[in-house]
């Protein structure tokens, strides 16, 4: 499928930031999807994730959520990149990131004339936490949160979550303990939510550029996420 790929500006009350937009070359995409970055910024991997969802028919956008600290932030996956990403992440309030997703959602819906309920959110790593908070605080059609460290610290917000959501965790994730995953499973009881754990997979299992890439887990999580998007967005 032929894609249109571009950087666009998103306006917010705090200023203007950029986002990577990838979409099929058609008059109207089937729906919209926001991809929330890892601590490594809107890098080559995140742009490739957007492209893959765009090939499935969605207008897919990845906002640069570190813009308040370092606009244009983009790293690889070497040890020094991990240290640098963590340092910048610590300076970005997660509440501000959720606000920026809201402004991105509004810009995307306005750009393509999409009504309410036509935008989903997918987040990875730090973005998995942000995606979960979007499910609780905003009004996306659905959310898929990959290995979001810190979610267990915000379980008091589950009661505000009413959109369908999937959680994806690796059984060997050193950053997210089995106890945390259990607590999340217990907290979401009665909600339109599912928790999936992938045997043998570690943190970052979806990223083909990381040593922890787990092709089988990545494929299964992709298929489940795509099913969620098709069910909720069409």
């Amino acid at each position: 499928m032929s894609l249109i790929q571009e950087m666009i500006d998103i306006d917010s009350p705090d200023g203007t930031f950029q986002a990577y937009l990838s979409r099929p070359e058609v008059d109207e995409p089937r729906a919209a999807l926001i991809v929330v970055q890892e601590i490594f910024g809107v890098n080559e991997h995140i742009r490739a994730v957007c492209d893959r969802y765009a090939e499935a028919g969605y207008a897919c956008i990845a906002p640069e959520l570190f813009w308040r600290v370092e606009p244009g932030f983009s790293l690889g996956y070497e040890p020094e990149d991990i240290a640098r990403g963590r340092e910048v992440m610590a300076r970005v309030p997660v509440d501000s990131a959720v606000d920026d997703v809201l402004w991105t959602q509004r810009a995307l819906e306005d750009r393509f004339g999409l009504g309410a309920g036509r935008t989903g959110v997918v987040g990875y790593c730090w973005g998995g936490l942000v995606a979960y908070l979007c499910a609780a605080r905003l009004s996306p059609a659905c959310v898929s949160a990959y290995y979001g460290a810190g979610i267990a610290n915000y379980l008091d917000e589950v009661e505000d979550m009413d959109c369908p959501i999937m959680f994806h965790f690796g059984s060997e994730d050193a950053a997210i303990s089995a106890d945390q995953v259990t607590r999340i499973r217990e907290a979401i009881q009665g909600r339109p939510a599912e928790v999936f754990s992938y045997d043998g997979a570690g943190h970052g299992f979806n990223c083909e550029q990381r040593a922890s890439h787990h092709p089988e887990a990545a494929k299964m999580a992709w298929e489940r996420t795509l099913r969620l998007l098709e069910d909720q967005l069409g």
Side-chain angles (χ1 to χ4, degrees), residues 22-24 26-32 57-60 108 112-114 118:
S22 183
R23 60 186 176 91
V26 295
D27 291 337
E28 182 179 345
R30 63 194 300 181
Y58 300 98
C60 191
L108 200 56
F112 295 106
L114 300 172
R118 296 288 304 282

Side-chain angles (χ1 to χ4, degrees), residues 3 17 22 25 43 45 61 66 71 81 109 113 125 140 147 149 152 155 160 166 183 203 209 212 216 228:
L3 301 179
F17 57 95
S22 183
E25 198 171 4
N43 60 6
H45 168 64
I61 192 167
F66 285 0
D81 296 321
E109 291 174 347
C125 185
Y147 34 84
L155 292 180
D160 298 318
M166 286 181 173
R183 288 169 56 200
H203 195 76
Q209 296 183 22
S212 58
E216 293 82 6
L228 174 70

